[in-house]
Amino acid sequence: MKADDNMSHIVIIQDNILKSDSNIKILKVLEESKIFRIIGKLTYRLITCSYCHQQSMVKNGFKIVCIRDIPFNNKSVIIQLTKQHFLCCACCHSITTQTKLVDKNAQISKRLRIPIITKLVKDTSVENMIKI
């Protein structure tokens, strides 16, 4: 594969992710033998607590999550996302930043769920499912 082709693949993957959520900052895209690994950071300004509705939120570390996204060029895409933690000084609840790319507490992107559901809906035998 040419270097130009590789760069165009990386740009396409980055654009697809940024279209899903503009708050994600992509730090690095690594092409490994069977996967594309995207390393990114998700943070935004959070002022009001969603539990007590007071303006006493402070940044409180990060959480790293891995999200599976739709395959690209027959390679899996894994997004390694560092999400910002916030802590409310008034009620001591912690909140983690959320992205539009996945549902809360999920590891499979919304875009990947659609092809999975369509494959599950098809009426196939067990032998054919093993081949998939």
Side-chain angles (χ1 to χ4, degrees):
M1 180 185 312
K2 297 178 185 176
D4 293 336
D5 291 341
N6 189 23
M7 288 304 295
S8 65
H9 294 329
I10 291 171
V11 170
I12 291 170
I13 292 171
Q14 287 178 340
D15 286 344
N16 285 336
I17 292 171
L18 291 176
K19 285 178 187 174
S20 298
D21 193 347
S22 60
N23 290 325
I24 296 175
K25 181 180 177 186
I26 298 174
L27 304 174
K28 198 184 298 184
V29 178
L30 304 172
E31 184 177 3
E32 298 172 6
S33 61
K34 295 184 180 181
I35 63 169
F36 284 105
R37 183 175 305 277
I38 295 133
I39 299 171
K41 189 174 188 179
L42 175 67
T43 185
Y44 48 81
R45 191 169 176 194
L46 189 63
I47 299 171
T48 306
C49 178
S50 58
Y51 294 97
C52 67
H53 306 292
Q54 293 190 18
Q55 295 182 354
S56 58
M57 300 300 292
V58 293
K59 291 183 177 181
N60 188 30
F62 292 94
K63 177 183 181 182
I64 298 174
V65 295
C66 291
I67 302 167
R68 293 184 61 96
D69 201 13
I70 53 174
F72 184 76
N73 279 358
N74 295 326
K75 288 187 178 183
S76 297
V77 175
I78 296 178
I79 305 166
Q80 185 175 333
L81 196 59
T82 305
K83 298 169 111 182
Q84 179 77 55
H85 265 307
F86 291 96
L87 180 67
C88 178
C89 294
C91 67
C92 296
H93 273 96
S94 65
I95 299 170
T96 305
T97 53
Q98 298 296 316
T99 177
K100 298 173 189 172
L101 196 61
V102 295
D103 292 329
K104 188 175 181 179
N105 299 324
Q107 294 179 344
I108 298 175
S109 70
K110 293 177 183 177
R111 299 183 299 183
L112 181 60
R113 292 175 74 183
I114 296 168
I116 291 173
I117 291 170
T118 55
K119 283 187 177 182
L120 290 174
V121 168
K122 290 181 183 177
D123 189 24
T124 58
S125 66
V126 174
E127 292 174 3
N128 289 339
M129 287 299 290
I130 294 172
K131 294 177 186 176
I132 295 174

